[in-house]
Amino acid sequence: MTFQGWFLILGFVAILLALTKPVGVWLFTLYEGRRTPLHVVLGPVERGFYKLAGIDPNAEQGWRRYALHMLLFNVVLMAFTYAVLRLQGVLPGNPQRLAGLSPDLAFNTAISFTANTNWQSYGGESTMSNLSQMLGLTIHNFLSAATGIALAFALFRGFARRETKAIGNFWADMTRITLYLLLPICVALTLFYIASGVPQTMAGVVDVQTLEGAKQSLLLGPVASQEAIKMLGTNGGGFFNANSAHPFENPTALTNLVQMLSIFLIGFGLTWTFGKAVGNTKQGWAILSAMVILFLAGVTVTYWQEAAGNPVLQHLGVAGGNMEGKEVRFGIAASALFSVVTTAASCGAVNSMHDSFTALGGLVPLFNMQLGEVVIGGVGAGIYGFLLFAILAVFVAGLMVGRTPEYVGKKIESREVKLAVLAIAVLPLMILGLTALSSVLQQGLAGPLNKGPHGFSEILYAFTSAVANNGSAFAGLTANTPYYNGLLGVAMWVGRFFIIVPMLAIAGSLAAKKYTPESAGSFPTTGGLWVGLLVGIILILGGLTFLPSLALGPIADHLAMISGKLS
C-alpha cells in the first residue's frame, strides 16, 4: 500500500462528502415537486408529457396504486426491450448487420436492464447493434435509475407524512427525476467523456493500421452517452465487453475518478434528502456515517490484499502486488477502489477483473452485494434497503429499552418488522438456493471455468450479483447458456421487485401513522451508538447468513493460497 493510494481513497471520500448536501438539496427540491431553474426550459416538456399521457401530477396515490403502476410500467418496458433485441437483425441502426438475440439471451438481457442490474451474458460490441444499445438498453439505464429514486422518495414520504394514505405520484416522480436530475447531469458527463477521448458516433467500425503495419478493425458507437448514465444511474452495463477496463470507455485516470464519483453521487445525496424530509438532517448524516464505515472497511481489506499480492509468487521471487487482471494505467489502488465502489453501489461496472483478485480481495466485492445494497447501494435502492435494516435495528433497540421502537417519529410495530424481514430474506433465499442448485446440477457445473473453491465462488458470485441487482461478474463463469440465462433472469426480477413491494407496503403503513415525538425513553437515532448498532446489525445478519458459503468459496481459496497451492 502506498501514500498515493490512500490519498486517492481518502480524497475520493472527501469530494463526495463535500457534494452530499448540494446534491441532497437538489433531490429534496424534486422530492417536494418544487420549481427549479431548469423549469424555464424543461417545464413545457414536463407538462407536455403529462398532457400526452393523460396524467394529473397532483393526484397522489396510495402504496398499492403506486406499486401497481410501477410494476406495469416495468413489465411493458421489459417486453419492449425483449422485442427490440429479438428483432435486432431487421431493425435499422445496425452497421455490423448483427443478428437478433436468442430467446434466452434476450429474456435475460431485457430483465437485466429493467431491474437495474445490467448483467451481461453477451459481448456488447459483438452482439448489440447501435440501435439496441440506445433504444433497448440506454433508455432502461435512465428509467430503471429513475424508478429506484422514485421508490426512495415514496418511502421518505412514508416516514415524513402523518395520517394519510398517499405516498406520491409515481409518474410525476419518474418524470421530474429523469428531466431535472438524470438528463442534465448526463449531458454534462457525456461532453466531458467526449472531450476525454470516449467515442460518440453512429459509425460501426473504423479500419486502422497498427504500428506493426497490420490492419485492425476498431468497433465504435455512441459510447460516451451510455457511459454517463451507466455510472450515474448505477447501471454498469458496458458498451464493450471489457466495460470500464476498455480504453474507449475509460481512457484516463481522470475519467476513472469521475466514473467512481458518478456511481456514489446520488446515493450520498439521498441520505441528506432523507434527513431533510423527516425534519432532522442528523438522521441522514447518521445513515451516511454507517455507510461510509462499511465502505472504508471494505476498501481497506481489498487494497491491503491486492497490494500484498500472492505469497506463493513472492516465495518464487516475483515481488510486488497482484496486477493480474488490472489495467497498468490505473494500478492496484484505483482498481481496488473501483471494485469496492461498484459493488457497494450495485453498479456492476468494472475496470479490472474480479476473478483475478486475491481470494480475500475478491471476497469483499462479493460480501458487499450480499449485504443487500446497503453500502451506499444503487440509486434509490441503497437508501431504501438501508432503511429496512434501520427498522430492524430500532426493533432490537426497542427490545433493549423495553418499549415500542420508534424511528424518526413513527412507531415501528409488528407489521413493519415483518415486512422488513420479508424483504431482507429475499436475498439469502434466492442467492443460496440457486447457488446450491447450480452446484449439483450438470447444467450448473458446466459453467465455471475453475474447479474447487474458486469455481464455487464463480457460481456464488453470479447469483449474488444477479439477486443484488449488481451486474458485475467473476468472469470465469460461462453464463450465456439457456440454464444460466433463465435462472439469472428470474433471480434479477425477484431481487428487484420482491423487495420493492414489501418496502412500499411499509411506506403506506408508516404514512398512515401519527407522529410520535421523542421522549426521555426514546432510543437516540443520530449518535455514535446508533451508527454502531446499524453497522453491527448489518454485519451480523450478513455474516450469519453468508459465512458458510464464503467459507466454501473465497475463504477456502485463501487458505489454499497461503498453504502454497495455486489450484
Side-chain angles (χ1 to χ4, degrees):
M1 294 190 286
T2 65
F3 171 80
Q4 291 89 342
W6 279 113
F7 181 79
L8 170 66
I9 293 168
L10 297 178
F12 168 76
V13 174
I15 293 171
L16 284 166
L17 291 175
L19 292 172
T20 296
K21 184 175 179 179
V23 175
V25 169
W26 189 266
L27 285 162
F28 183 73
T29 301
L30 300 180
Y31 163 80
E32 290 210 318
R34 296 178 184 176
R35 186 176 178 83
T36 72
L38 294 177
H39 273 73
V40 175
V41 177
L42 297 175
V45 179
E46 179 187 2
R47 292 189 293 272
F49 281 149
Y50 297 148
K51 185 175 181 180
L52 184 65
I55 293 169
D56 179 4
N58 298 315
E60 298 228 335
Q61 301 166 326
W63 79 265
R64 290 181 178 84
R65 191 170 182 82
Y66 200 102
L68 178 62
H69 286 210
M70 180 273 302
L71 289 171
L72 289 175
F73 177 69
N74 281 276
V75 168
V76 170
L77 277 177
M78 184 187 72
F80 170 76
T81 301
Y82 178 84
V84 169
L85 299 179
R86 292 284 288 136
L87 298 172
Q88 174 178 273
V90 298
L91 292 174
N94 189 1
Q96 295 174 258
R97 298 181 181 180
L98 299 169
L101 274 62
S102 65
D104 59 288
L105 182 56
F107 168 80
N108 179 280
T109 307
I111 288 183
S112 173
F113 280 78
T114 302
N116 199 241
T117 308
N118 295 29
W119 172 273
Q120 292 180 250
S121 290
Y122 59 87
E125 65 268 45
S126 60
T127 307
M128 296 288 179
S129 68
N130 288 343
L131 182 70
S132 294
Q133 293 269 20
M134 293 186 298
L135 186 62
L137 306 186
T138 303
I139 286 179
H140 269 294
N141 288 349
F142 279 94
L143 297 180
S144 63
T147 297
I149 299 171
L151 293 166
F153 283 180
L155 184 56
F156 293 176
R157 294 186 186 107
F159 281 106
R161 292 183 174 179
R162 308 174 188 179
E163 300 180 80
T164 179
K165 294 182 179 180
I167 58 170
N169 184 301
F170 173 73
W171 305 109
D173 286 340
M174 286 286 294
T175 303
R176 290 165 185 159
I177 291 163
T178 304
L179 279 180
Y180 302 115
L181 178 70
L182 299 179
L183 275 173
I185 297 178
C186 283
V187 168
L189 286 173
T190 299
L191 294 175
F192 165 75
Y193 289 135
I194 292 171
S196 301
V198 178
Q200 181 70 17
T201 175
M202 293 303 294
V205 179
V206 173
D207 294 323
V208 299
Q209 189 171 6
T210 67
L211 294 175
E212 291 82 8
K215 289 185 178 181
Q216 183 178 359
S217 295
L218 298 179
L219 298 169
L220 303 175
V223 183
S225 56
Q226 183 167 323
E227 197 69 22
I229 185 58
K230 93 167 189 181
M231 297 301 186
L232 184 68
T234 60
N235 299 283
F239 193 96
F240 299 100
N241 194 42
N243 210 282
S244 287
H246 197 293
F248 282 176
E249 287 200 27
N250 192 10
T252 69
L254 181 58
T255 60
N256 192 64
L257 176 62
V258 170
Q259 287 184 13
M260 291 189 293
L261 292 172
S262 299
I263 294 170
F264 270 9
L265 185 65
I266 295 176
F268 267 62
L270 279 169
T271 60
W272 191 92
T273 304
F274 171 71
K276 182 67 174 177
V278 298
N280 185 356
T281 55
K282 290 182 179 179
Q283 297 287 353
W285 288 116
I287 288 175
L288 183 59
S289 298
M291 289 178 170
V292 171
I293 288 171
L294 290 168
F295 167 70
L296 287 176
V299 171
T300 300
V301 173
T302 302
Y303 185 27
W304 164 48
Q305 286 296 303
E306 295 307 298
N310 190 322
V312 178
L313 296 179
Q314 291 175 355
H315 181 72
L316 296 173
V318 182
N322 177 31
M323 277 298 295
E324 181 187 339
K326 298 178 178 65
E327 289 292 303
V328 175
R329 66 184 190 275
F330 299 139
I332 291 175
S335 299
L337 177 60
F338 199 112
S339 72
V340 179
V341 167
T342 194
T343 52
S346 75
C347 179
V350 295
N351 75 346
S352 57
M353 299 301 105
H354 298 178
D355 190 52
S356 296
F357 277 31
T358 60
L360 295 186
L363 179 148
V364 172
L366 179 58
F367 192 55
N368 277 343
M369 296 182 290
Q370 290 173 341
L371 292 180
E373 288 198 6
V374 297
V375 188
I376 310 303
V379 286
I383 185 70
Y384 68 65
F386 205 98
L387 288 173
L388 294 176
F389 277 97
I391 288 172
L392 294 186
V394 295
F395 173 71
V396 172
L399 294 177
M400 290 190 290
V401 299
R403 57 176 290 170
T404 302
E406 302 165 7
Y407 186 51
V408 295
K410 295 295 179 74
K411 286 190 178 294
I412 305 300
E413 298 174 302
S414 61
R415 174 177 169 81
E416 291 79 37
V417 175
K418 290 174 183 177
L419 287 168
V421 170
L422 177 63
I424 292 171
V426 167
L427 265 77
L429 287 173
M430 291 298 294
I431 291 171
L432 299 178
L434 294 178
T435 299
L437 185 68
S438 300
S439 298
V440 296
L441 292 181
Q442 184 177 357
Q443 300 96 314
L445 292 172
L449 175 66
N450 301 96
K451 304 299 181 184
H454 200 78
F456 177 79
S457 295
E458 291 172 357
I459 297 174
L460 177 64
Y461 195 106
F463 286 109
T464 300
S465 177
V467 179
N469 298 138
N470 182 269
S472 65
F474 246 29
L477 185 76
T478 301
N480 189 12
T481 64
Y483 174 83
Y484 276 109
N485 280 335
L487 270 192
L488 289 169
V490 172
M492 289 183 280
W493 185 266
V494 172
R496 175 73 162 179
F497 297 104
F498 279 50
I499 293 175
I500 286 173
V501 175
M503 181 276 295
L504 286 175
I506 292 173
S509 177
L510 292 173
K513 292 176 181 287
K514 296 179 180 180
Y515 177 76
T516 303
E518 287 189 14
S519 65
S522 298
F523 185 85
T525 56
T526 56
L529 180 62
W530 168 243
V531 172
L533 179 63
L534 273 175
V535 172
I537 289 290
I538 291 168
L539 290 178
I540 290 170
L541 284 177
L544 290 176
T545 305
F546 291 104
L547 183 59
S549 62
L550 295 173
L552 292 173
I555 294 176
D557 214 5
H558 176 74
L559 294 175
M561 180 184 73
I562 62 177
S563 67
K565 298 178 182 178
L566 291 176
S567 60

